[in-house]
Amino acid sequence: MRKIAHISFGYIKHYKRQTAALFTGIVLAAALLTGMGGLLASGRNTALENARRLYGDWHYSIAGGTEQAADLDRGKADSGFTVEKSGRLYFRCMTEVPVETEFVYADSGYLEMMHCTAESGYYPKSDNEIAADKESLMLLGASCKTGEKVQIGDDSFTVCGIMKSLPEKLNGHKGTSARVYVSDTFGYSENSGSLYIKFRENGNVYGQLLAFCKKYGVDHSDIKRNDEIDSMAGGDMPVNVLKTVKEGISHKELGLPYILGSLNESGTFSEKVILAGIGLFGAFMIYSLFRVSVIKRIPQYSVMETIGMTDGYKTAMLLTELFCVGVLAYPLGCVLGNTAAWLICRRAGQLFVSHDISKHTGVGDEAARMAVSAVSDAGKYIVNRRVVLYGAVGLAAVLVFISLMLVYHMRKSTLREMIAGTPVKDKKRRIFSRKRSDLTGMITKRFMFTGKRRTAADLLSLSLGGILFLGAVYVAENTKLNNELTLKADDGLGSDINVCIQSDDLSDSIPADTAEKMKGISGISEVHPVSYTLGEIELNDGIFKWTEYYPELDESEDNAPDPDIMEKYNGRAVQTGDDDYAVKVNIYGYDDEMLGQMNEYLLSGSIDPERMRRENTVIFKTITDGQGNCDGIDLDAGDSFDLKTVRSSDVPAEALRFLGSDEWYSSSCFTIDAVAVRPLAKVDDLIGEAGNSTIDIIMTTEQMEKNFGISDMRTVSISIDSPEVSESVSEELYSLTGDVNRCVVKNYTEQIKQQNEHIGRKMVFFYGIAAVILGVSLMHIMNSMQYMVSARRREFGILRAMGITDSGFSKMLAVHGVRYGLCCAAVTAVVYFFVQRMLYFFMLRVYLYVRPEAFVSFRAFAAVITATVLLCTAVSVTSGRSVLKTEITDEIRE
């Protein structure tokens, strides 16, 4: 063993350049792997903290579980669980006048978990005091000031505090109802309380829930789950991989998207794929660097084999050399990678904040789906120890594999071939100089394709970095596009300020002249009013395929329809015949500017407001499934449908069930001009805007007045000149709409600013990682090309001895570099075509991107191809200069 170590150390010291190249390769591979792992871990942490802001800092709520609250000891481990935070919410009573209002008492723990502290004033201390957020006070007709009197039902209350609104996506109460906070002595109720719990997150949150339920005898059906927090904090039930794969295969409508989507429920599967790709790239680079170094020493190994060295000793020698370099290089790479990632994280700590904030908390019999680790302290960089450890284990496995592979390849050559330094595969000698006066191209081709397998491995290794770079750019470009589209459509942040009616009464609206006056407010740059009504379309003769997407039509017992929607609207869909259905739809009237923005969401057809007004055509927003498919309704551009609407907003509320007298309704036939996948401005107050399972009909505001007599507005989207004027504009809008029933003003300026910064930072990260990958790839190409030239110094010496001129030699090397570059570019293009198809499939069917682009930008592709060809050529020619500086006899002896 001492002799093996002595020889290995001798090789390390003698071949300094090769050792330095190998050392650098391992450092770069380790830096890229562990740095990316740290950024992903930090990104999960930042996304978790953002989810706390949007959904509240709790994991589960238990209906009627307040009796356990007194028994909880926060921070103390108990029977397999540790409650980090807990809070109670009691529903005291409800009144319908002047609007639906719920009276609640919340303790300090609940308010802390929901970030619902008092912006001004204080929490109620006596029975005649209330506190509420601004939206609730506006619905109650108050002026959002402490000390004023508010009449609710038969009682008068004093507003003692202005509370922050509930987390944006916490579905605590409907937009058409108000919530007021009261003192703990106000109207006790025995069975209307809920207990909110946050468990310790550096443990198994799902396991802690099971232990909690076991101790207190809690039924899972009483548990409401904070989906967004749990999915990132380890609150998901572990997924059964075999069962998931079996279900995906056995149900052809599910297939691969279902399997991948289930495995990637919390995003960890994608992270593993990214890290695996980076690890594979690093392994290729290390193998390529060391293989070229070993090839130069094959004659020496053959001599040692001649005097009795076995394959085991050769493997041990290679392993010792690799491990000596790896033991020093890997820790240095980890330090450098995490340091660089820390610097990135300091400037862009919220790169991976989840942008899909369209989900809501829900009630389920199961507490989770899949576990994922979580960390604390938003914005801080987290060293991913698991990636560092697994990276070290993976590196050791790669080094062992490299050693075995190289010894295996040496065994395939005879001692004579090994001593000669190159395999002698061509037993039949051929003379090429008889028919060619210029042998440069032929010699270059012979050098390049001496070993087809080795050449293929070289080309794949050299191309891998470019493929990863193009993949990263492709994902970055589509992520940016998707974020911008979802920001406007799914998140409803297409405007800085939204003035809207929060009511399920169609007679409540914003007068058209009031919307017109908004244009005169200083600081407002754009005003886009939207009119609205509810309708019902007929889908007959099997046109409607995805009936199971509507609970009213689904026979499954675990998919119950919303009782409020059933009571007020007779559900969102009803069956009228064997294959005939009537489906409730939202009908919107947009101005021309908003219709122009709808072009980004089209599936088919085109939008021309003038043609729509002239021919009375509409845009049909269809439904989509969980895999991004949009063929659930067999209607396309050019098709027609029948639309039923109420004749006026003065009809009774019962008319919205669409079962009343015929004089309440009117029917029209419309032709579809275009099919879209998303609406822009939305109304959630009636049947809701579920997005994937809601049908919308969109037309011009002039058509709304012509067809239905609707000239007033339901919502107004407003853009402002700068964020600095948002408060003053909001105040003027408050004053202008003060006498409009159930009208509220929502200021999204700060939220849009944060989300735009988030998008920008994410793009900087993606492009930064792509640049790093490209840089490592180009460095790898340089090293590989240098070694390819250096490994043929003996052949080059023989050519020079035979009389090749310096210019001819340089030409030969240039041709060699160009050919390698072109072959590399061809491999990159072919492999990347399949990689991009796979990425497109993932984005469209698994991640549900809105209209992802099918191809990467031509500039990025051309840049990679050009850089590869130029670099291969430049390095080949530059490396050849060192050959020309060496004596011919020295080259031949070497």
Side-chain angles (χ1 to χ4, degrees):
M1 190 66 191
R2 292 173 59 185
K3 293 180 180 180
I4 292 175
H6 180 74
I7 296 174
S8 298
F9 282 122
Y11 277 136
I12 291 174
K13 287 188 282 186
H14 181 72
Y15 293 98
K16 295 182 176 64
R17 289 186 179 180
Q18 288 84 347
T19 301
L22 178 63
F23 183 86
T24 304
I26 296 177
V27 167
L28 291 175
L32 194 58
L33 178 66
T34 58
M36 175 65 82
L39 283 171
L40 291 173
S42 302
R44 280 201 310 272
N45 171 58
T46 310
L48 179 61
E49 294 305 319
N50 187 65
R52 296 191 206 281
R53 178 177 61 83
L54 294 173
Y55 299 89
D57 190 15
W58 56 283
H59 295 145
Y60 306 100
S61 70
I62 303 172
T66 53
E67 61 271 14
Q68 288 97 2
D71 191 30
L72 295 179
D73 192 353
R74 292 169 59 166
K76 178 182 177 182
D78 184 10
S79 303
F81 63 89
T82 302
V83 176
E84 190 172 295
K85 292 183 180 180
S86 63
R88 298 173 296 162
L89 179 71
Y90 292 94
F91 293 88
R92 297 306 195 197
C93 63
M94 179 78 73
T95 182
E96 300 290 338
V97 181
V99 296
E100 184 179 285
T101 307
E102 58 183 15
F103 292 78
V104 300
Y105 164 71
D107 65 7
S108 59
Y110 175 86
L111 296 175
E112 175 191 351
M113 296 165 78
M114 303 303 173
H115 322 295
C116 192
T117 56
E119 291 183 339
S120 61
Y122 56 89
Y123 193 84
K125 299 177 181 177
S126 61
D127 290 353
N128 65 340
E129 292 180 328
I130 62 168
D133 59 69
K134 290 182 179 179
E135 291 181 14
S136 294
L137 291 173
M138 290 178 68
L139 288 173
L140 294 170
S143 59
C144 304
K145 295 180 181 178
T146 58
E148 68 175 316
K149 297 289 185 179
V150 177
Q151 188 74 25
I152 306 177
D154 298 329
D155 300 314
S156 177
F157 298 90
T158 300
V159 178
C160 65
I162 307 298
M163 308 294 288
K164 290 183 179 179
S165 298
L166 282 171
E168 182 70 21
K169 297 299 175 180
L170 179 65
N171 202 14
H173 64 288
K174 296 180 180 179
T176 57
S177 65
R179 166 181 281 189
V180 297
Y181 296 91
V182 296
S183 66
D184 60 346
T185 59
F186 185 96
Y188 275 106
S189 178
E190 294 296 331
N191 58 358
S192 60
S194 292
L195 172 65
Y196 290 76
I197 297 176
K198 176 186 177 182
F199 292 111
R200 179 173 55 89
E201 290 185 349
N202 59 350
N204 185 339
V205 173
Y206 179 73
Q208 292 181 80
L209 173 68
L210 296 180
F212 180 89
C213 293
K214 180 178 180 181
K215 177 176 180 179
Y216 292 105
V218 177
D219 191 331
H220 278 186
S221 61
D222 296 328
I223 296 173
K224 181 178 180 180
R225 176 175 181 263
N226 193 347
D227 292 331
E228 288 295 326
I229 299 295
D230 280 359
S231 64
M232 292 183 285
D236 289 338
M237 183 175 64
V239 66
N240 188 324
V241 178
L242 293 178
K243 181 180 178 182
T244 300
V245 173
K246 183 179 179 180
E247 289 178 349
I249 295 175
S250 59
H251 298 83
K252 62 179 182 180
E253 69 276 8
L254 298 178
L256 184 61
Y258 168 78
I259 298 172
L260 296 176
S262 299
L263 295 177
N264 193 51
E265 192 72 35
S266 58
T268 55
F269 181 73
S270 295
E271 294 181 6
K272 292 174 182 176
V273 171
I274 292 172
L275 293 174
I278 293 174
L280 181 63
F281 174 54
F284 260 104
M285 184 168 60
I286 295 169
Y287 174 75
S288 178
L289 293 174
F290 192 62
R291 180 180 64 84
V292 176
S293 177
V294 170
I295 287 174
K296 296 186 65 176
R297 292 180 256 153
I298 283 181
Q300 301 171 35
Y301 290 123
S302 66
V303 172
M304 287 186 279
E305 185 175 344
T306 303
I307 61 177
M309 184 177 69
T310 63
D311 288 344
Y313 276 104
K314 280 192 289 187
T315 304
M317 285 175 57
L318 295 177
L319 267 178
T320 303
E321 184 176 350
L322 285 170
F323 271 100
C324 287
V325 177
V327 166
L328 297 175
Y330 186 76
L332 179 60
C334 292
V335 172
L336 292 178
N338 282 282
T339 301
W342 172 72
L343 292 174
I344 294 174
C345 199
R346 282 188 61 188
R347 297 184 61 85
Q350 299 198 7
L351 291 170
F352 282 88
V353 175
S354 174
H355 193 68
D356 182 10
I357 57 176
S358 58
K359 299 178 182 177
H360 295 275
T361 55
V363 179
D365 294 335
E366 296 181 350
R369 287 181 293 275
M370 208 179 116
V372 62
S373 61
V375 286
S376 60
D377 298 327
K380 289 188 177 181
Y381 178 72
I382 308 297
V383 176
N384 196 328
R385 294 183 176 86
R386 183 174 297 182
V387 171
V388 172
L389 176 61
Y390 288 167
V393 174
L395 176 63
V398 166
L399 299 184
V400 172
F401 176 78
I402 290 173
S403 302
L404 293 174
M405 285 294 295
L406 291 174
V407 171
Y408 170 75
H409 285 301
M410 282 190 277
R411 286 189 63 187
K412 295 171 67 175
S413 301
T414 64
L415 288 177
R416 174 176 170 271
E417 292 171 347
M418 291 174 64
I419 293 174
T422 54
V424 183
K425 298 295 183 183
D426 191 2
K427 303 298 182 181
K428 183 179 179 181
R429 297 183 177 275
R430 287 174 289 177
I431 301 175
F432 294 95
S433 60
R434 290 177 179 173
K435 297 181 180 181
R436 291 184 177 91
S437 59
D438 184 5
L439 299 179
T440 302
M442 183 273 298
I443 294 173
T444 304
K445 182 179 178 182
R446 295 280 292 179
F447 278 157
M448 185 173 177
F449 297 106
T450 300
K452 294 181 180 180
R453 291 184 180 180
R454 188 172 69 186
T455 302
D458 288 339
L459 291 175
L460 182 60
S461 176
L462 295 176
S463 304
L464 190 57
I467 295 168
L468 290 177
F469 169 76
L470 290 173
V473 171
Y474 179 65
V475 171
E477 290 176 346
N478 278 286
T479 299
K480 181 180 180 181
L481 175 63
N482 183 69
N483 284 344
E484 291 172 347
L485 294 178
T486 56
L487 186 71
K488 293 189 294 184
D490 294 351
D491 301 343
L493 299 179
S495 58
D496 299 306
I497 299 175
N498 183 250
V499 182
C500 61
I501 298 295
Q502 289 194 336
S503 167
D504 54 8
D505 189 341
L506 290 179
S507 63
D508 291 328
S509 61
I510 302 171
D513 60 341
T514 301
E516 188 67 25
K517 291 177 182 177
M518 295 178 185
K519 298 179 180 179
I521 296 177
S522 176
I524 291 181
S525 59
E526 294 181 15
V527 175
H528 300 296
V530 177
S531 50
Y532 173 85
T533 190
L534 186 67
E536 185 178 73
I537 65 171
E538 295 181 6
L539 301 175
N540 299 329
D541 302 324
I543 290 177
F544 189 20
K545 301 176 182 178
W546 295 350
T547 56
E548 67 276 8
Y549 270 66
Y550 285 76
E552 298 86 351
L553 305 177
D554 189 6
E555 298 179 357
S556 174
E557 296 181 358
D558 58 354
N559 190 19
D562 188 312
D564 288 338
I565 292 180
M566 290 297 298
E567 179 183 354
K568 293 180 180 180
Y569 312 108
N570 191 39
R572 290 188 296 136
V574 292
Q575 186 168 3
T576 57
D578 290 340
D579 287 320
D580 303 336
Y581 301 90
V583 182
K584 305 294 187 305
V585 297
N586 294 310
I587 306 173
Y588 298 111
Y590 290 175
D591 62 14
D592 289 5
E593 288 77 12
M594 290 192 71
L595 288 172
Q597 296 176 32
M598 283 292 299
N599 279 298
E600 298 174 318
Y601 305 91
L602 289 191
L603 293 172
S604 63
S606 61
I607 297 176
D608 183 351
E610 289 297 332
R611 184 177 66 240
M612 293 173 66
R613 281 187 283 266
R614 183 175 63 252
E615 301 178 6
N616 202 24
T617 55
V618 299
I619 301 170
F620 185 86
K621 183 260 161 184
T622 190
I623 61 177
T624 58
D625 67 2
Q627 297 181 9
N629 298 302
C630 304
D631 53 351
I633 300 175
D634 193 12
L635 287 176
D636 205 347
D639 295 333
S640 300
F641 62 90
D642 293 325
L643 176 64
K644 185 178 182 181
T645 58
V646 294
R647 288 188 180 274
S648 73
S649 59
D650 297 329
V651 297
E654 182 185 352
L656 297 182
R657 295 171 60 86
F658 287 87
L659 296 173
S661 175
D662 289 341
E663 66 258 15
W664 287 350
Y665 309 102
S666 61
S667 297
S668 304
C669 181
F670 289 95
T671 300
I672 298 173
D673 229 7
V675 179
V677 71
R678 297 284 196 281
L680 285 177
K682 300 182 291 187
V683 173
D684 293 321
D685 300 327
L686 283 85
I687 61 170
E689 182 59 75
N692 61 334
S693 60
T694 304
I695 301 172
D696 300 322
I697 309 299
I698 302 169
M699 58 185 68
T700 65
T701 52
E702 292 83 0
Q703 288 175 279
M704 289 289 286
E705 184 171 6
K706 174 184 176 182
N707 293 322
F708 313 120
I710 299 175
S711 58
D712 292 339
M713 307 303 161
R714 187 76 182 191
T715 178
V716 181
S717 300
I718 296 173
S719 299
I720 58 177
D721 294 331
S722 65
E724 289 74 19
V725 301
S726 64
E727 290 300 326
S728 60
V729 169
S730 296
E731 291 298 327
E732 292 194 52
L733 290 172
Y734 282 134
S735 301
L736 184 61
T737 59
D739 58 347
V740 179
N741 188 36
R742 298 191 177 186
C743 181
V744 297
V745 178
K746 297 182 178 181
N747 191 333
Y748 294 127
T749 307
E750 186 60 29
Q751 190 172 354
I752 291 174
K753 178 183 176 182
Q754 292 175 356
Q755 295 297 341
N756 283 331
E757 289 177 353
H758 155 66
I759 294 174
R761 289 167 178 166
K762 182 179 284 188
M763 292 309 100
V764 170
F765 173 80
F766 277 130
Y767 287 121
I769 291 299
V772 170
I773 291 175
L774 181 61
V776 173
S777 173
L778 296 179
M779 186 176 296
H780 173 47
I781 291 174
M782 279 198 313
N783 285 329
S784 297
M785 291 300 298
Q786 287 174 348
Y787 291 146
M788 288 176 189
V789 173
S790 178
R792 297 191 175 101
R793 295 176 70 92
R794 186 168 180 271
E795 290 89 338
F796 291 153
I798 294 173
L799 289 174
R800 292 178 65 197
M802 292 172 64
I804 190 171
T805 63
D806 289 354
S807 60
F809 183 71
S810 298
K811 179 182 177 182
M812 182 187 69
L813 289 176
V815 173
H816 180 266
V818 169
R819 284 190 172 179
Y820 244 106
L822 291 175
C823 290
C824 223
V827 172
T828 300
V830 171
V831 176
Y832 176 67
F833 175 80
F834 295 100
V835 170
Q836 184 169 284
R837 292 292 87 196
M838 181 182 66
L839 292 174
Y840 179 79
F841 175 83
F842 267 72
M843 288 187 288
L844 185 65
R845 301 302 180 199
V846 178
Y847 298 103
L848 304 183
Y849 275 29
V850 181
R851 295 190 63 197
E853 296 290 338
F855 297 99
V856 72
S857 66
F858 176 76
R859 288 184 300 175
F861 187 78
V864 170
I865 299 303
T866 303
T868 301
V869 175
L870 291 178
L871 189 62
C872 286
T873 305
V875 173
S876 183
V877 173
T878 304
S879 300
R881 292 180 181 176
S882 63
V883 176
L884 294 176
K885 294 178 182 179
T886 309
E887 293 293 332
I888 295 176
T889 54
D890 293 337
E891 290 176 3
I892 295 175
R893 278 199 300 267
E894 194 175 280

